[in-house]
């Protein structure tokens, strides 16, 4: 037909002419496929490595959670009684005991007492965290007031922060000194009343009841715990029949108390006269006006526990608490408390 040559069709002619180009195209196509294949292989390899890493991390997390659950179970079940738990804590060295929150140690000592029937330690600690968060926000929001007039706060940012902490907790959460126990030293409530309800002397009275009320036995613990949750260098200290809170760091120290009347900043000389006058000899003998170590804090919580048990006629348990206090911190103060109680029991027995 027209258009065809003797040697073949136009299409055959065209095919012969384009053969080299088709080879080039196929070569490029094969190279592209090869690169894609290598990319897929590499991605799979990377994915396999990532999956392997992910699996290893997942396994590690599962193992950690398993260990944690076993540890938690052991912590819950390893103590047959509150007394056994307290004896364990009392026997820890200072470097181990400092790992425990002062609030936790105080609340643990309140277990099983009258007034702590519904004690929920985790809930109390959450409440403390909540108050600390509220105090922190308000303190930072008002810190410019210190910068503008530091002289009003004795040029001490610590004093400003302590005043803010007390003011915010009192106004925001209703923290207060129980008005029923605002008493003169020569007209104190009987121990059966003051220690009869553990909420009067342990911090769950400030964290787990409304209104949030405490006394000189619990408020200094509360302020110290709250301040430590804020990162403040706070300590407890005491004088005759009274506890207070101390801010102490490299720049110096000051003492303070917080009630519904505000934050009172003091120095040690104040507590040589208040609530009763005490001479230097007695201060040295009973180690008054010293910043407490963690073991000394626990010792006082144990003595407070003993007083609550004693006020409710649980004499054998009270004796155990006194003995545990001496085990924890064998000072003149704790030994004297145990001796006095044993003497009381002996006298009571003789009168029967």
């Amino acid at each position: 037909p027209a258009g065809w040559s003797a040697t073949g069709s136009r299409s055959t002619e065209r095919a012969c002419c384009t053969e080299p180009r088709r080879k080039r195209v196929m070569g490029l196509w094969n190279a592209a496929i090869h690169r894609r294949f290598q990319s897929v292989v590499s991605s799979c390899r990377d994915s396999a490595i990532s999956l392997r890493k992910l699996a290893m991390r997942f396994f590690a997390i599962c193992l950690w959670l398993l260990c944690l659950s076993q540890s938690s179970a052991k912590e819950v079940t390893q103590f047959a009684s509150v007394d056994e738990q307290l004896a364990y804590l009392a026997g820890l060295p200072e470097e181990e005991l400092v790992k425990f929150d002062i609030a936790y140690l105080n609340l643990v000592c309140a277990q099983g007492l009258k007034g702590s029937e519904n004690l929920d330690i985790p809930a109390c600690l959450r409440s403390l965290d909540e108050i600390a968060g509220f105090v922190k926000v308000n303190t930072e929001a008002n810190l410019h007031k210190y910068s503008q007039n530091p002289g009003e706060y004795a040029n001490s940012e610590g004093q400003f922060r302590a005043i803010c902490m007390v003011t915010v907790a009192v106004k925001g959460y209703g923290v207060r000194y129980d008005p029923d126990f605002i008493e003169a030293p020569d007209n104190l409530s009987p121990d059966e009343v003051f220690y009869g309800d553990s909420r009067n002397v342990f911090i769950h009275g400030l964290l787990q009841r409304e209104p949030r009320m405490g006394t000189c036995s619990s408020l200094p613990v509360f302020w110290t715990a709250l301040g430590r949750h804020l990162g403040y260098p706070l300590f407890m200290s005491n004088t005759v029949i009274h506890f207070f809170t101390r801010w102490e760091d490299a720049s110096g120290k000051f003492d303070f108390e917080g009630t519904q009347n505000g934050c009172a900043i003091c120095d040690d000389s104040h507590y040589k006269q208040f609530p009763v006058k005490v001479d230097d000899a007695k201060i040295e003998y009973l180690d008054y006006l010293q910043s407490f170590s963690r073991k000394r804090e626990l010792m006082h919580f144990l003595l407070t526990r003993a007083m609550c048990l004693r006020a409710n006629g649980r004499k054998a348990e009270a004796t155990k608490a006194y003995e545990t206090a001496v085990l924890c911190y064998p000072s003149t103060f704790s030994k004297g408390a145990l001796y006095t109680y044993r003497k009381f029991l002996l006298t009571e027995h003789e009168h029967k």
Side-chain angles (χ1 to χ4, degrees):
W4 285 76
S5 67
T7 57
S9 67
R10 292 178 183 175
S11 59
T12 303
E13 222 173 74
R14 184 179 179 184
C16 292
C17 294
T18 59
E19 184 65 24
R21 186 174 64 179
R22 185 169 65 248
K23 288 182 179 181
R24 287 197 302 272
V25 170
M26 290 301 296
L28 292 172
W29 177 255
N30 288 335
I33 292 176
H34 180 72
R35 285 196 300 270
R36 181 60 179 166
F37 177 76
Q38 290 295 107
S39 175
V40 170
V41 170
S42 178
S43 296
C44 291
R45 186 185 302 114
D46 292 341
S47 297
I49 293 172
S50 298
L51 287 172
R52 187 161 57 250
K53 289 181 178 178
L54 184 62
M56 291 175 66
R57 289 175 184 174
F58 179 75
F59 177 74
I61 291 172
C62 290
L63 184 61
W64 177 77
L65 289 173
L66 179 61
C67 293
L68 180 62
S69 64
Q70 290 177 342
S71 174
S72 299
K74 182 179 180 182
E75 184 178 352
V76 172
T77 60
Q78 68 178 340
F79 303 113
S81 66
V82 175
D83 285 340
E84 185 178 330
Q85 182 183 16
L86 295 177
Y88 166 77
L89 292 169
L92 292 175
E94 178 72 15
E95 59 270 21
E96 291 296 322
L97 195 60
V98 294
K99 298 176 183 177
F100 290 87
D101 188 339
I102 183 177
Y104 171 79
L105 294 176
N106 183 266
L107 293 166
V108 164
C109 290
Q111 294 177 110
L113 300 176
K114 183 179 179 181
S116 66
E117 294 83 0
N118 298 315
L119 174 62
D120 185 338
I121 293 178
C124 286
L125 296 177
R126 287 195 299 271
S127 179
L128 187 64
D129 282 333
E130 177 189 327
I131 299 172
F134 187 67
V135 170
K136 182 177 182 179
V137 169
N138 281 271
T139 300
E140 296 305 318
N142 288 281
L143 196 56
H144 65 278
K145 294 180 180 179
Y146 171 74
S147 301
Q148 292 170 354
N149 191 9
E152 186 176 346
Y153 306 96
N155 295 305
S156 168
E157 186 177 321
Q159 287 195 20
F160 174 82
R161 289 182 176 275
I163 292 170
C164 271
M165 179 176 71
V166 171
T167 302
V168 172
V170 168
K171 291 186 176 181
Y173 286 86
V175 172
R176 68 182 76 173
Y177 198 108
D178 190 336
D180 290 339
F181 295 109
I182 299 177
E183 305 165 322
D186 57 352
N187 189 32
L188 298 176
S189 299
D191 286 348
E192 290 74 15
V193 176
F194 187 71
Y195 293 101
D197 188 328
S198 62
R199 292 173 294 182
N200 297 335
V201 291
F202 286 96
I203 62 172
H204 61 297
L206 290 151
L207 295 172
Q208 201 181 332
R209 73 169 172 180
E210 293 291 343
R212 299 174 185 267
M213 297 190 296
T215 63
C216 67
S217 288
S218 58
L219 275 166
V221 183
F222 174 79
W223 297 127
T224 303
L226 182 60
R228 287 180 182 174
H229 279 232
L230 292 164
Y232 297 166
L234 298 188
F235 300 85
M236 285 185 65
S237 188
N238 70 327
T239 184
V240 180
I241 62 170
H242 192 71
F243 293 99
F244 56 90
T245 307
R246 171 175 291 155
W247 181 297
E248 184 173 13
D249 58 15
S251 63
K253 69 177 183 179
F254 61 89
D255 306 322
F256 72 93
E257 300 187 48
T259 68
Q260 56 268 46
N261 295 323
C263 181
I265 305 292
C266 313
D267 57 24
D268 287 355
S269 62
H270 171 75
Y271 293 107
K272 292 183 179 181
Q273 307 294 325
F274 177 86
V276 296
K277 188 173 182 178
V278 56
D279 58 41
D280 291 340
K282 191 169 186 178
I283 290 173
E284 182 178 359
Y285 180 68
L286 293 174
D287 210 21
Y288 286 144
L289 307 182
Q290 300 297 313
S291 297
F292 290 178
S293 64
R294 196 60 52 87
K295 287 187 73 69
R296 189 171 176 182
E297 290 169 356
L298 179 57
M299 178 267 286
H300 279 288
F301 302 158
L302 289 164
L303 291 179
T304 301
R305 175 181 177 82
M307 291 297 293
C308 289
L309 292 166
R310 178 177 176 177
N312 286 281
R314 297 161 64 177
K315 299 173 185 176
E317 293 172 276
T319 300
K320 182 66 176 177
Y322 278 116
E323 291 172 345
T324 306
V326 174
L327 168 68
C328 180
Y329 192 81
S331 64
T332 302
F333 192 95
S334 61
K335 291 177 181 178
L338 175 60
Y339 172 80
T340 301
Y341 183 61
R342 284 175 170 169
K343 187 176 180 180
F344 162 77
L345 291 178
L346 181 60
T347 303
E348 185 182 57
H349 178 72
E350 290 174 349
H351 287 169
K352 287 184 177 180

